[in-house]
Amino acid sequence: MRRTWGFLAVGLLFSVTACTVTITVPARSPEPAPYETTLPSTPLPASPAVVLDACPFLAVDELAWITGLSTEIRPLEQEAHVDGPQEDRYGCLYENSAQSSALAPHLQIVVPPKGGATVIAVVDDTAKAGCREPITAIAGVGDKAVYCESAKDPAKVIVTVGKLSHGEARLAVLDIVKIRPDAYETVAKLLAERL
């Protein structure tokens, strides 16, 4: 009888060790982003009657998709300041954990004084002031759109879009790290739609 129990115990132990045991571990929820976006991720559907800030002109999700950065981006609205007697400038710095603030994308929306230079002249002057040659035109976008290497930082590109909207000249200037030329065209089209 003892041998029978012994054989049964060994057989049972053998059958248990021969079986494959699958353990299911519940999936861990993703870590929360180091910071949250306080602005809505949806951009302006069309050009606003009055420009009050810059961040809504380009959504975080869109910027991440275009640049290849993670969506862990925090848009920081910069204080509006006046450069000339009536020129309004609004800025948005898109901070993220993957880049230093010097390399983070920066968008400026500029509304020059009424009765000043034409939109085309404003785009040309802005490009000449901030770009290295060559300056590449983007056809069919706004009244005029260009991109070029930044004169200050060769790692960055400046995309400039100008459009006459609501009776005023409006300019969007985005500086981002170098990526693909088709990405510059994509972001220029988005900004032109919203100016």
Side-chain angles (χ1 to χ4, degrees):
M1 183 81 170
R2 284 185 181 182
R3 279 188 183 178
T4 308
W5 282 109
F7 285 123
L8 273 173
V10 169
L12 183 59
L13 182 61
F14 179 77
S15 66
V16 168
T17 57
C19 294
T20 303
V21 178
T22 304
I23 299 173
T24 305
V25 178
R28 223 175 126 192
S29 62
E31 293 293 320
Y35 37 73
E36 293 181 13
T37 302
T38 55
L39 297 171
S41 64
T42 53
L44 294 170
S47 64
V50 178
V51 176
L52 299 173
D53 48 16
C55 290
F57 279 86
L58 190 59
V60 167
D61 295 344
E62 292 172 324
L63 187 62
W65 177 74
I66 291 165
T67 61
L69 293 171
S70 73
T71 54
E72 294 176 1
I73 298 172
R74 180 175 65 166
L76 297 172
E77 190 69 40
Q78 309 290 304
E79 277 190 43
H81 64 277
V82 178
D83 271 2
Q86 296 174 339
E87 181 177 86
D88 293 327
R89 263 181 206 268
Y90 304 90
C92 186
L93 179 66
Y94 294 90
E95 277 193 341
N96 62 77
S97 57
Q99 292 177 323
S100 68
S101 59
L103 291 177
H106 184 251
L107 174 65
Q108 289 187 77
I109 303 296
V110 181
V111 182
K114 290 185 180 182
T118 66
V119 175
I120 293 170
V122 172
V123 170
D124 289 339
D125 292 345
T126 303
K128 286 177 189 172
C131 293
R132 290 186 181 157
E133 295 288 338
I135 297 171
T136 306
I138 303 171
V141 176
D143 290 332
K144 184 163 189 178
V146 299
Y147 69 88
C148 56
E149 184 179 289
S150 170
K152 292 180 183 176
D153 185 352
K156 295 186 96 172
V157 165
I158 298 174
V159 178
T160 307
V161 180
K163 183 178 175 184
L164 186 63
S165 183
H166 297 280
E168 61 188 8
R170 293 182 179 177
L171 190 70
V173 182
L174 176 68
D175 62 72
I176 55 176
V177 293
K178 287 182 179 177
I179 44 179
R180 307 166 323 278
D182 63 304
Y184 310 142
E185 294 174 15
T186 300
V187 77
K189 287 175 185 172
L190 286 174
L191 290 170
E193 289 170 5
R194 294 167 190 160
L195 282 176

